[in-house]
Amino acid sequence: MASSSSSTVAGASGWLRGKVKAVPSGDCLVIMGNSKGDSPPPERTITLSSLIAPRLARRGGVDEPFAWDSREYLRKLCIGKEVTFKVDYTVPSIGREFGSVFLGVKNVSLLVVSEGWARVRETGQQKGEVSPVLADLLRLEEQAKQQCLGRWSKTPGASELSIRNLPPSAIGDPSNLDAMGLLNANKGRAMQSIVEQVRDGSTIRVYLLPEFQFVQVFVAGIQAPSMGRRAAVETSIETEPVSDEPNGEGSAETRPTLTSAQRLAASTASSNEVSPDPFGKEAKHFTEIRVLHREVRIVLEGVDKFGNLIGSVYYPEGESAKDLALELVENGLAKYLEWSASMMEEDAKRRLKSAELQAKKNRLRIWTNYVPPATNSKAIHDQNFTGKVVEVVSGDCIIVADDSLPFGSPSAERRVNLSSIRCPKMGNPRRDEKPSPYAREAREFLRTRLIGQQVNVSMEYSRKVGLADGPTTASADSRVMDFGSVFLVSSTKVEADGASTLAIPTAGSQHAGVNVGELVVARGFGTVIRHRDFEERSNYYDALLAAESRAIAGRKGIHSAKDPPVMHITDLLTASAKKAKDFLPFLQRVRRMPAIVEYVLSGHRFKLLIPKETCSIAFAFSGVRCPGRDEPFSDEAIALMRRKIMQRDVEIEVETVDRTGTFLGSLWEGKTNVAVTLLEAGLAKLQTSFGSDRIPDAHLLAQAEQSAKRQKLKIWENYVEGEEVSNGSATDSKQKEVLKVVVTEILGGGRFYVQTIGDQRVASIQQQLASLNLQEAPVIGAFNPKKGDIVLAQYSEDNSWNRAMLPLVLEMPNIVTWIVNAPRGAVESPEDKFEVFYIDYGNQEIIPYNQLRPLDASVSSAPGLAQLCSLAYIKVPSLNEDFGHEAAQYFSDMALNSSKELRAMIEDKDASGGKVKGQGTGTVLNVTLIDVEAESTINAAMLKEGLATVEKRKRWDPKEKQIAFEKLEKFQAEARLNRLRMWQYGDIQSDDEDTAPPVRKAGGRR
């Protein structure tokens, strides 16, 4: 073989270093230089100077005696090792280089001769074609002959035994090779082999030992880039052996001389050279340096329709065995081949598929220019947390209360969809959708194992889905779902459920536990989603697939041939009140009845499943009431009940049913009366009008309420003993609610916005906003905010980012257009104007599109922190009335621009404003705003400064309100006497202002 130059060689006569890549015979080595990058390095074929080893069999021939043993000695001695070599002489007529090779400090030629595996050739001394150590070689040869070593053995029959009995396939006649018979005889068995040639990265030719069957094996499950086709211009085939192969002996075949027509056809067909595919040479070199002329183990997997053998190739590396297919795919030098992989075991297929996906993500080699398909999933990084499971929504969705947030906080609950699995849907009773087969069983399976348990959660990816639970585009109505892997810390309930124990790969600490997704799939309650390439998936996807295979093999759950269980539940929540009353006797047959809390409707009202009666009921505590919806501490009460009893096994004692069909009674979780828990937390009040003699544990309820009052918890934080006032009723008493507040915006007309001090939602929302990445501006077309959306907006005064609602949209600079409904068209320019309402502060402004950002649903779903209020019992002029601006400025100086401690006493509520749709809309709290330090009210101060008037009294006003009017009228009289502001020209009130309509005379016949 002609030598190839090396970039690291200083001169042809100098000593060179390299690694032995192949050993074609007992006196020949292929040595490669140092590789630079992925490109194959230069290589040289060196024949040991002055040595002649026995020749291996060529096509149609036989081995010379001891030829195989000679080659094996040199192969085991040198293959894959670093050597130093020098070219002693060349013979241009045969295109060979002869040289000296050193393995460390040992001359390889001397070692070969001393063991008797080659003879010394003395000819060529006149031409200088001899080894520099010829004398030493002759001396060692003589010693080997005397000791009868190697080829000089004089043992009778040794020479004949050293000649291999080669099958036809080993000497160029593969026609009679029975590939299917070979497969059937060795299926699944590791066959010891020696790789003789590498055709391309995924095709090798090997000797199957010990029979020396010479076969070509395609590596199972993969395909490496092709090496192309070399042009051949010969018009006849010589009968002598000609070596054209770079990695071993050549092959020759005796063929008749071609006719003129045949020569013309052959010349035309063979002259078309096909270049190697990109990275074809690199893939071949990768395989060569690992398996060429090395002992490997081959597991035959199958035979294709052309009779080619398909097998898995394993080569040694240290103490372990490497999978050649997996190594090629991981390094981006081969692609996954589905038809070939179908012959392999499932685990091996999954490893190859995962390796290809990772190579695509990293754009390794053949995937350098790979363009991933569009996907609606996005990876989530570094969002691991621990918490307790509050609710099992379905077999593949749970709600976990984050331990890092305050206990009982509504914002602590996080919805987690289990990654890469799909369970039967629970349906929707409101749309008359019934649960799918095994949906209830899947949810119950998780409920009994997870509710109230500590779990570790590793969030992995988010996915945008349509409202119909399918993939969607950015322009369609959609929601973002977060997916993660959940691990159950305590495995006492799942020891027999067949899930493996895994660890969450976190940077801080390693939390071991049972993978809940794997648990569900292994029991046959879910299937594994077949993700598209480049679609985000579970970090434990292979374990999920393995669990699914076990479930299918065991015919479990949805994989069973049996009919799914059927359970008919009577839902009394959607039935009439009369039907609910008909069930009352059945629920009172036993004193305490087992139940399951299906849902927390409010702090004191729940949906319960009664398994014994196969019905669902609405249930409320007797004599205990929590704040209603949108009232302070309502969300905290609901959150506490969700943490305590949501989906827990409880016991109830039903006393009666009210006119709406809600059953009233007491509820115990374990030995604890849950109503006591609510009262002790200061999140409920005891209503004695119900009749305490009919309530079990009534004395415990009263003690719990008194304890909360003493500690001034939650709804009792402003409670003062004996401060309750009568509202005019002889049988009912009501304590006014007082809130610690800070004023955030003043609108005029006595209306303003406040935030409640100490509201746990404030810190939670601020924490979530601080964690967002807000550097990149939104891409036009990808983010199209519309009226009513909750977004992030950058406040122009301090450049802070806050939650905002889009009540109005203005388009076209210099032309202001008020849009009542949200525009259907997409944003066209970063300067498109949007009028936003900051729901946490109450202010409103116009900003450009580039100061908006989309907001995650978990942050936008929390209600606004700003509460609209109005100064109670007084009338303040609006901004377009006389003294309106002066009143607003004075109010601002007193409340907005000062550091005064303020408290708002709620006199009544006005819900006529409906839902919040922008500034000045929504429920209004009519309050008395108290300046704690001055021990006076802002309401009175406005009257005293002549910037407001007292509302007109009405005859039907309660006594409490009449007293308040009398006190305020004294301040108004003082301003009128001093002719301050509104009173500077005297009495400003007309005779008919705010008067009641005239009394109608009684009509009808006399």
Side-chain angles (χ1 to χ4, degrees), residues 792-851:
L792 271 181
Q794 190 175 29
Y795 186 45
S796 59
E797 293 294 327
D798 58 6
N799 292 327
S800 63
W801 290 92
N802 304 281
R803 298 190 305 163
M805 176 185 285
L806 298 179
L808 301 165
V809 183
L810 305 177
E811 298 191 19
M812 299 293 294
N814 304 324
I815 302 178
V816 181
T817 306
W818 295 86
I819 307 298
V820 177
N821 295 314
R824 294 174 184 250
V827 177
E828 298 179 355
S829 166
E831 299 304 320
D832 284 357
K833 302 298 182 181
F834 289 79
E835 183 166 4
V836 296
F837 167 58
Y838 296 99
I839 62 174
D840 294 328
Y841 296 93
N843 48 344
Q844 191 159 306
E845 67 171 344
I846 298 173
I847 60 174
Y849 172 76
N850 57 18
Q851 290 181 220

Side-chain angles (χ1 to χ4, degrees), residues 62 157 167 217 287 302-303 377 379 410 483 494 522 535 559 565 672 689 701 854 863 903 957 975:
V62 295
V217 177
T287 300
V303 175
S377 60
F483 294 82
V494 294
E535 197 170 53
H559 308 294
T672 303
S689 58
L701 301 180
R903 294 193 181 185
D957 284 338

Side-chain angles (χ1 to χ4, degrees), residues 605-636:
R605 190 167 180 265
F606 319 99
K607 180 181 180 181
L608 304 183
L609 172 65
I610 313 297
K612 186 176 180 181
E613 302 296 336
T614 62
C615 67
S616 294
I617 66 171
F619 180 88
F621 293 132
S622 295
V624 176
R625 290 295 176 268
C626 296
R629 292 282 183 178
D630 298 328
E631 292 183 0
F633 304 109
S634 170
D635 292 339
E636 285 84 346

Side-chain angles (χ1 to χ4, degrees), residues 745 747 751 753 807 837 842-844 916-921:
E745 179 72 359
L747 305 183
R751 298 203 300 171
Y753 279 95
F837 167 58
N843 48 344
Q844 191 159 306
V916 176
K917 298 179 180 178
Q919 193 177 59
T921 62

Side-chain angles (χ1 to χ4, degrees), residues 222-241:
I222 67 168
Q223 182 178 18
S226 169
M227 283 297 296
R229 184 175 67 241
R230 291 175 295 176
V233 295
E234 69 272 16
T235 59
S236 64
I237 306 298
E238 298 182 11
T239 58
E240 294 298 323

Side-chain angles (χ1 to χ4, degrees), residues 5-309:
S5 62
S6 171
S7 60
T8 60
V9 177
S13 61
W15 287 96
L16 307 173
R17 291 185 180 276
K19 181 179 289 187
V20 177
K21 173 184 174 181
V23 183
S25 64
D27 59 3
C28 184
L29 300 170
V30 178
I31 304 173
M32 62 180 183
N34 296 322
S35 61
K36 294 184 177 180
D38 291 334
S39 300
E43 59 186 47
R44 304 176 82 158
T45 301
I46 302 297
T47 302
L48 299 178
S49 299
S50 299
L51 295 190
I52 300 177
R55 297 301 171 202
L56 294 167
R58 300 277 180 163
R59 187 182 296 270
V62 295
D63 288 345
E64 292 183 2
F66 299 103
W68 179 255
D69 297 321
S70 174
R71 202 290 291 265
E72 284 298 277
Y73 173 79
L74 187 59
R75 182 185 70 81
K76 294 178 179 178
L77 178 68
C78 297
I79 193 70
K81 295 181 180 178
E82 297 280 350
V83 296
T84 305
F85 69 97
K86 178 181 181 182
V87 177
D88 298 326
Y89 58 91
T90 63
V91 181
S93 61
I94 59 175
R96 288 191 179 181
E97 293 181 323
F98 295 81
S100 301
V101 180
F102 279 80
L103 187 63
V105 296
K106 296 180 180 180
N107 189 319
V108 174
S109 298
L110 298 179
L111 293 174
V112 171
V113 172
S114 67
E115 294 295 330
W117 295 120
R119 65 183 177 88
V120 181
R121 182 173 60 87
E122 299 183 52
T123 59
Q125 296 185 36
Q126 296 81 2
K127 300 179 181 179
E129 297 177 350
V130 295
S131 170
V133 291
L134 179 62
D136 292 332
L137 291 174
L138 292 171
R139 177 177 55 81
L140 290 173
E141 181 185 41
E142 191 61 32
Q143 290 179 5
K145 289 179 179 179
Q146 293 176 3
Q147 298 176 22
C148 302
L149 298 178
R151 64 177 298 169
W152 311 115
S153 174
K154 296 181 179 179
T155 304
S159 179
E160 291 77 7
L161 289 174
S162 68
I163 300 174
R164 297 176 295 168
N165 182 18
L166 297 175
S169 64
I171 53 176
D173 184 15
S175 58
N176 64 347
L177 176 65
D178 183 7
M180 187 57 70
L182 185 64
L183 172 66
N184 293 335
N186 298 280
K187 177 70 173 176
R189 183 172 68 87
M191 304 176 67
Q192 186 174 357
S193 311
I194 293 180
V195 178
E196 289 296 310
Q197 184 184 351
V198 176
R199 199 186 79 177
D200 58 44
S202 58
T203 309
I204 59 176
R205 291 171 180 166
V206 302
Y207 278 129
L208 299 178
L209 302 179
E211 291 83 5
F212 289 101
Q213 285 280 10
F214 189 66
V215 297
Q216 180 168 276
V217 177
F218 293 88
V219 181
I222 67 168
Q223 182 178 18
S226 169
M227 283 297 296
R229 184 175 67 241
R230 291 175 295 176
V233 295
E234 69 272 16
T235 59
S236 64
I237 306 298
E238 298 182 11
T239 58
E240 294 298 323
V242 178
S243 178
D244 288 327
E245 305 294 344
N247 300 319
E249 302 89 352
S251 59
E253 184 178 353
T254 302
R255 296 181 183 176
T257 303
L258 302 177
T259 65
S260 298
Q262 289 172 332
R263 282 197 300 270
L264 179 60
S267 176
T268 303
S270 61
S271 62
N272 295 327
E273 180 176 352
V274 179
S275 300
D277 290 342
F279 296 99
K281 292 181 180 179
E282 289 82 350
K284 179 183 178 184
H285 175 69
F286 184 91
T287 300
E288 284 177 336
I289 63 176
R290 285 161 175 78
V291 302
L292 181 59
H293 285 164
R294 288 170 168 81
E295 296 177 7
V296 299
R297 294 193 178 274
I298 294 178
V299 179
L300 296 180
E301 307 286 1
V303 175
D304 67 9
K305 61 182 180 180
F306 301 107
N308 297 311
L309 290 168

Side-chain angles (χ1 to χ4, degrees), residues 814-984:
N814 304 324
I815 302 178
V816 181
T817 306
W818 295 86
I819 307 298
V820 177
N821 295 314
R824 294 174 184 250
V827 177
E828 298 179 355
S829 166
E831 299 304 320
D832 284 357
K833 302 298 182 181
F834 289 79
E835 183 166 4
V836 296
F837 167 58
Y838 296 99
I839 62 174
D840 294 328
Y841 296 93
N843 48 344
Q844 191 159 306
E845 67 171 344
I846 298 173
I847 60 174
Y849 172 76
N850 57 18
Q851 290 181 220
L852 297 179
R853 299 289 187 275
L855 189 58
D856 187 83
S858 62
V859 183
S860 64
S861 60
L865 302 177
Q867 173 62 55
L868 180 60
C869 297
S870 178
L871 294 175
Y873 306 146
I874 67 173
K875 288 182 62 177
V876 180
S878 62
L879 294 177
N880 58 0
E881 293 178 335
D882 291 340
F883 297 100
H885 284 281
E886 289 87 341
Q889 184 61 49
Y890 179 79
F891 189 10
S892 178
D893 294 339
M894 292 287 290
L896 186 62
N897 301 326
S898 70
S899 58
K900 295 181 178 180
E901 181 181 348
L902 302 175
R903 294 193 181 185
M905 179 183 293
I906 301 174
E907 306 293 350
D908 58 55
K909 296 181 182 179
D910 180 4
S912 61
K915 294 183 178 179
V916 176
K917 298 179 180 178
Q919 193 177 59
T921 62
T923 301
V924 182
L925 300 183
N926 293 315
V927 303
T928 298
L929 195 58
I930 304 171
D931 182 348
V932 176
E933 184 178 352
E935 296 184 353
S936 62
T937 69
I938 305 296
N939 308 51
M942 296 287 288
L943 292 169
K944 193 173 181 179
E945 291 294 324
L947 293 172
T949 59
V950 180
E951 292 179 353
K952 285 289 185 178
R953 298 194 199 187
K954 298 179 177 60
R955 294 189 298 271
W956 52 82
D957 284 338
K959 183 178 180 181
E960 173 191 354
K961 196 171 183 179
Q962 298 280 2
I963 296 173
F965 277 133
E966 290 177 2
K967 293 180 179 179
L968 294 175
E969 285 171 351
K970 293 180 182 179
F971 295 103
Q972 178 178 271
E974 183 178 345
R976 179 164 33 185
L977 180 63
N978 296 325
R979 294 184 179 273
L980 297 179
R981 294 184 173 87
M982 295 173 63
W983 305 101
Q984 61 182 328

